[in-house]
Coordinates of all heavy atoms in Angstrom, one line a residue:
Chain R
M1 N 92.5 -82.2 -83.8 CA 93.3 -81.8 -84.9 C 93.7 -80.3 -84.8 O 93.2 -79.5 -85.5 CB 92.6 -82.1 -86.2 CG 93.5 -82.5 -87.4 SD 92.5 -82.7 -88.8 CE 92.2 -81.0 -89.3
K2 N 94.5 -80.0 -83.7 CA 94.8 -78.6 -83.5 C 96.2 -78.4 -84.0 O 97.1 -78.5 -83.3 CB 94.7 -78.3 -82.0 CG 93.4 -78.8 -81.3 CD 93.4 -78.5 -79.9 CE 93.4 -79.7 -78.9 NZ 93.4 -81.0 -79.3
G3 N 96.3 -77.9 -85.2 CA 97.6 -77.7 -85.8 C 98.4 -78.9 -85.9 O 98.1 -80.0 -85.3
F4 N 99.4 -78.9 -86.7 CA 100.1 -80.1 -87.0 C 101.3 -80.2 -86.1 O 102.2 -79.3 -86.1 CB 100.5 -80.2 -88.4 CG 101.4 -81.3 -88.7 CD1 101.0 -82.6 -88.5 CD2 102.7 -81.1 -89.2 CE1 101.8 -83.7 -88.7 CE2 103.5 -82.2 -89.4 CZ 103.1 -83.4 -89.2
I5 N 101.5 -81.3 -85.5 CA 102.7 -81.5 -84.7 C 103.3 -82.8 -85.2 O 102.8 -83.8 -85.2 CB 102.4 -81.7 -83.2 CG1 101.8 -80.3 -82.7 CG2 103.6 -82.1 -82.5 CD1 101.1 -80.4 -81.4
A6 N 104.6 -82.6 -85.7 CA 105.2 -83.8 -86.2 C 105.7 -84.7 -85.1 O 106.1 -84.2 -84.1 CB 106.4 -83.4 -87.1
V7 N 105.6 -85.9 -85.3 CA 105.9 -86.9 -84.3 C 106.7 -88.0 -84.8 O 106.7 -88.3 -86.0 CB 104.6 -87.5 -83.6 CG1 104.2 -86.6 -82.5 CG2 103.5 -87.6 -84.7
K8 N 107.5 -88.7 -84.0 CA 108.2 -89.8 -84.4 C 107.2 -90.9 -84.7 O 106.3 -91.2 -84.0 CB 109.1 -90.3 -83.3 CG 110.5 -89.9 -83.4 CD 111.4 -90.7 -82.5 CE 112.9 -90.5 -82.8 NZ 113.4 -89.2 -82.6
S9 N 107.4 -91.6 -85.8 CA 106.5 -92.7 -86.2 C 107.3 -93.6 -87.1 O 107.9 -93.2 -88.0 CB 105.3 -92.1 -86.9 OG 105.7 -91.6 -88.1
G10 N 107.2 -94.8 -86.8 CA 108.0 -95.8 -87.6 C 109.4 -95.4 -87.6 O 110.0 -95.0 -86.6
R11 N 110.1 -95.4 -88.8 CA 111.5 -95.1 -88.8 C 111.6 -93.6 -89.2 O 112.7 -93.2 -89.4 CB 112.2 -95.9 -89.8 CG 111.7 -97.3 -90.1 CD 112.6 -98.1 -90.9 NE 112.5 -97.8 -92.3 CZ 111.6 -98.4 -93.1 NH1 110.7 -99.3 -92.6 NH2 111.5 -98.1 -94.4
E12 N 110.5 -92.9 -89.4 CA 110.6 -91.6 -90.0 C 111.1 -90.6 -88.9 O 110.7 -90.6 -87.8 CB 109.3 -91.1 -90.5 CG 108.9 -91.7 -91.8 CD 110.0 -91.4 -92.9 OE1 110.4 -90.2 -92.9 OE2 110.4 -92.3 -93.6
E13 N 112.0 -89.7 -89.4 CA 112.4 -88.6 -88.5 C 111.5 -87.4 -88.7 O 111.1 -87.2 -89.8 CB 113.8 -88.2 -88.8 CG 114.9 -89.3 -88.6 CD 114.9 -89.7 -87.1 OE1 114.9 -88.8 -86.2 OE2 114.9 -90.9 -86.8
P14 N 111.2 -86.7 -87.7 CA 110.3 -85.5 -87.9 C 111.2 -84.5 -88.6 O 112.4 -84.3 -88.4 CB 110.0 -85.0 -86.5 CG 111.1 -85.6 -85.6 CD 111.5 -86.9 -86.2
V15 N 110.6 -83.9 -89.6 CA 111.3 -82.9 -90.4 C 110.7 -81.5 -90.3 O 111.2 -80.6 -91.0 CB 111.4 -83.3 -91.9 CG1 112.3 -84.6 -92.0 CG2 110.0 -83.6 -92.4
V16 N 109.7 -81.4 -89.6 CA 109.1 -80.0 -89.5 C 109.2 -79.5 -88.1 O 109.2 -80.3 -87.1 CB 107.6 -80.0 -90.0 CG1 107.6 -80.0 -91.5 CG2 106.9 -81.1 -89.4
A17 N 109.2 -78.2 -88.0 CA 109.2 -77.6 -86.6 C 108.0 -78.0 -85.8 O 107.0 -78.2 -86.4 CB 109.3 -76.1 -86.8
E18 N 108.2 -78.0 -84.5 CA 107.1 -78.5 -83.7 C 106.2 -77.4 -83.3 O 105.6 -77.5 -82.2 CB 107.7 -79.2 -82.5 CG 108.5 -80.5 -82.9 CD 108.4 -81.6 -81.8 OE1 107.7 -81.4 -80.9 OE2 109.0 -82.6 -82.0
Q19 N 106.0 -76.4 -84.0 CA 104.9 -75.4 -83.6 C 103.9 -75.3 -84.7 O 104.1 -75.7 -85.9 CB 105.5 -74.0 -83.3 CG 106.2 -73.3 -84.4 CD 107.6 -73.7 -84.6 OE1 107.9 -74.2 -85.6 NE2 108.5 -73.3 -83.7
P20 N 102.7 -74.9 -84.3 CA 101.6 -74.9 -85.3 C 102.0 -74.0 -86.5 O 102.6 -72.9 -86.3 CB 100.4 -74.2 -84.5 CG 100.8 -74.4 -83.1 CD 102.3 -74.5 -83.0
Q21 N 101.6 -74.4 -87.7 CA 101.9 -73.6 -88.8 C 100.7 -73.5 -89.7 O 99.8 -74.3 -89.5 CB 103.1 -74.2 -89.6 CG 102.9 -75.6 -89.9 CD 103.9 -76.2 -90.8 OE1 104.5 -77.2 -90.6 NE2 104.1 -75.6 -91.9
A22 N 100.7 -72.6 -90.7 CA 99.6 -72.5 -91.6 C 99.6 -73.7 -92.5 O 100.7 -74.1 -93.0 CB 99.6 -71.2 -92.3
P23 N 98.4 -74.2 -92.8 CA 98.4 -75.4 -93.8 C 98.8 -74.9 -95.2 O 98.6 -73.8 -95.6 CB 97.0 -75.9 -93.7 CG 96.2 -74.7 -93.2 CD 97.1 -73.9 -92.3
L24 N 99.5 -75.9 -95.9 CA 99.9 -75.6 -97.3 C 98.7 -75.7 -98.2 O 98.5 -74.9 -99.1 CB 100.9 -76.6 -97.6 CG 101.8 -76.4 -98.9 CD1 102.5 -75.1 -98.8 CD2 102.8 -77.5 -99.0
L25 N 97.9 -76.7 -98.0 CA 96.7 -76.9 -98.8 C 95.6 -77.3 -98.0 O 95.7 -78.2 -97.1 CB 97.1 -77.9 -99.9 CG 96.0 -78.3 -100.9 CD1 96.6 -78.7 -102.2 CD2 95.1 -79.5 -100.4
V26 N 94.4 -76.7 -98.3 CA 93.2 -77.2 -97.6 C 92.1 -77.4 -98.7 O 91.9 -76.5 -99.5 CB 92.7 -76.1 -96.6 CG1 91.4 -76.5 -96.0 CG2 93.7 -75.8 -95.6
L27 N 91.5 -78.6 -98.6 CA 90.3 -78.8 -99.4 C 89.2 -79.1 -98.4 O 89.4 -80.0 -97.6 CB 90.5 -80.0 -100.3 CG 89.3 -80.3 -101.2 CD1 89.1 -79.2 -102.3 CD2 89.5 -81.7 -101.9
A28 N 88.2 -78.3 -98.4 CA 87.1 -78.4 -97.4 C 85.8 -78.7 -98.1 O 85.3 -78.0 -99.0 CB 87.0 -77.2 -96.6
K29 N 85.2 -79.8 -97.7 CA 83.8 -80.2 -98.0 C 83.5 -80.1 -99.5 O 82.5 -79.5 -100.0 CB 82.8 -79.2 -97.3 CG 82.9 -79.4 -95.8 CD 81.6 -78.9 -95.1 CE 81.7 -79.0 -93.6 NZ 82.1 -80.3 -93.1
A30 N 84.4 -80.7 -100.3 CA 84.2 -80.7 -101.7 C 83.2 -81.8 -102.1 O 83.2 -82.9 -101.5 CB 85.6 -81.0 -102.4
T31 N 82.3 -81.5 -103.0 CA 81.4 -82.5 -103.5 C 81.5 -82.6 -105.0 O 81.9 -81.6 -105.7 CB 79.9 -82.1 -103.2 OG1 79.6 -80.9 -103.9 CG2 79.7 -81.9 -101.7
K32 N 81.2 -83.7 -105.5 CA 81.3 -83.9 -107.0 C 80.3 -85.1 -107.3 O 80.4 -86.1 -106.7 CB 82.7 -84.3 -107.4 CG 82.8 -84.6 -108.9 CD 82.8 -83.3 -109.7 CE 82.6 -83.5 -111.2 NZ 82.4 -82.3 -111.9
S33 N 79.5 -84.8 -108.3 CA 78.6 -85.9 -108.8 C 78.8 -86.0 -110.3 O 79.0 -85.0 -111.0 CB 77.2 -85.7 -108.4 OG 76.7 -84.4 -108.8
F34 N 78.6 -87.2 -110.8 CA 78.6 -87.4 -112.2 C 77.2 -88.0 -112.6 O 76.9 -89.1 -112.2 CB 79.7 -88.5 -112.6 CG 81.1 -88.1 -112.2 CD1 81.6 -88.6 -111.0 CD2 81.8 -87.2 -113.0 CE1 82.9 -88.2 -110.7 CE2 83.0 -86.8 -112.6 CZ 83.6 -87.3 -111.5
G35 N 76.5 -87.1 -113.3 CA 75.1 -87.5 -113.6 C 74.4 -87.7 -112.2 O 74.5 -86.8 -111.4
A36 N 73.8 -88.8 -112.0 CA 73.1 -89.0 -110.7 C 74.0 -89.7 -109.7 O 73.6 -90.0 -108.6 CB 71.9 -89.8 -111.0
V37 N 75.2 -90.0 -110.1 CA 76.1 -90.7 -109.2 C 76.9 -89.7 -108.4 O 77.7 -89.0 -108.9 CB 77.0 -91.7 -109.9 CG1 78.0 -92.4 -108.9 CG2 76.2 -92.7 -110.7
Q38 N 76.7 -89.8 -107.1 CA 77.5 -88.9 -106.2 C 78.8 -89.6 -105.9 O 78.9 -90.5 -105.1 CB 76.7 -88.7 -104.9 CG 77.2 -87.6 -104.0 CD 76.9 -86.2 -104.4 OE1 75.9 -86.0 -105.1 NE2 77.7 -85.2 -104.0
A39 N 79.9 -89.1 -106.5 CA 81.2 -89.7 -106.3 C 81.9 -89.2 -105.0 O 82.6 -89.9 -104.4 CB 82.1 -89.5 -107.5
L40 N 81.6 -88.0 -104.7 CA 82.2 -87.4 -103.5 C 81.2 -86.6 -102.8 O 80.6 -85.6 -103.4 CB 83.4 -86.5 -104.0 CG 84.4 -86.1 -102.9 CD1 85.1 -87.3 -102.4 CD2 85.5 -85.2 -103.5
T41 N 80.9 -86.9 -101.6 CA 79.9 -86.2 -100.8 C 80.5 -85.2 -99.9 O 80.0 -84.1 -99.7 CB 79.1 -87.2 -99.9 OG1 78.8 -88.4 -100.7 CG2 77.8 -86.6 -99.5
E42 N 81.7 -85.6 -99.3 CA 82.4 -84.6 -98.5 C 83.8 -84.9 -98.6 O 84.3 -85.8 -97.9 CB 81.9 -84.7 -97.0 CG 82.5 -83.6 -96.2 CD 82.4 -83.9 -94.7 OE1 81.6 -84.9 -94.3 OE2 83.1 -83.3 -93.9
G43 N 84.5 -84.2 -99.5 CA 86.0 -84.5 -99.6 C 86.7 -83.4 -98.9 O 86.6 -82.2 -99.3
S44 N 87.4 -83.8 -97.8 CA 88.2 -82.7 -97.1 C 89.6 -83.3 -96.8 O 89.7 -84.4 -96.4 CB 87.5 -82.4 -95.7 OG 86.2 -81.9 -96.0
I45 N 90.6 -82.4 -96.9 CA 91.9 -82.8 -96.5 C 92.7 -81.6 -96.3 O 92.5 -80.5 -96.9 CB 92.6 -83.7 -97.6 CG1 93.8 -84.4 -97.0 CG2 92.9 -82.9 -98.9 CD1 93.9 -85.8 -97.5
T46 N 93.6 -81.7 -95.3 CA 94.5 -80.5 -95.0 C 95.9 -81.0 -95.0 O 96.3 -82.0 -94.3 CB 94.2 -80.0 -93.6 OG1 92.8 -79.7 -93.5 CG2 95.0 -78.7 -93.3
L47 N 96.8 -80.3 -95.7 CA 98.2 -80.8 -95.9 C 99.1 -79.7 -95.3 O 98.8 -78.5 -95.6 CB 98.5 -81.1 -97.3 CG 97.8 -82.2 -98.0 CD1 98.2 -82.3 -99.4 CD2 98.0 -83.5 -97.3
Y48 N 100.1 -80.1 -94.6 CA 101.1 -79.1 -94.0 C 102.4 -79.3 -94.7 O 102.7 -80.4 -95.2 CB 101.3 -79.3 -92.5 CG 100.0 -78.9 -91.8 CD1 99.0 -79.8 -91.5 CD2 99.9 -77.5 -91.4 CE1 97.9 -79.4 -90.8 CE2 98.8 -77.1 -90.7 CZ 97.8 -78.0 -90.4 OH 96.7 -77.6 -89.7
A49 N 103.2 -78.2 -94.8 CA 104.5 -78.4 -95.4 C 105.3 -79.4 -94.6 O 105.3 -79.4 -93.4 CB 105.2 -77.0 -95.4
G50 N 106.0 -80.2 -95.4 CA 106.9 -81.1 -94.7 C 106.3 -82.4 -94.2 O 107.0 -83.2 -93.6
E51 N 105.1 -82.7 -94.5 CA 104.5 -83.9 -94.0 C 104.2 -84.9 -95.1 O 104.0 -84.4 -96.3 CB 103.2 -83.7 -93.2 CG 102.0 -83.3 -94.1 CD 100.7 -83.4 -93.4 OE1 100.5 -84.3 -92.5 OE2 99.7 -82.6 -93.7

Side-chain angles (χ1 to χ4, degrees):
Chain R
M1 214 181 76
K2 310 175 243 5
F4 170 64
I5 294 161
V7 269
K8 260 195 168 66
S9 64
R11 331 189 280 274
E12 282 302 316
E13 295 300 315
V15 290
V16 280
E18 296 212 1
Q19 66 274 111
Q21 54 171 128
L24 193 55
L25 178 146
V26 179
L27 180 71
K29 299 202 182 305
T31 63
K32 178 76 192 172
S33 55
F34 301 99
V37 177
Q38 187 83 24
L40 197 59
T41 319
E42 187 199 345
S44 299
I45 195 140
T46 305
L47 298 176
Y48 290 92
E51 74 164 328

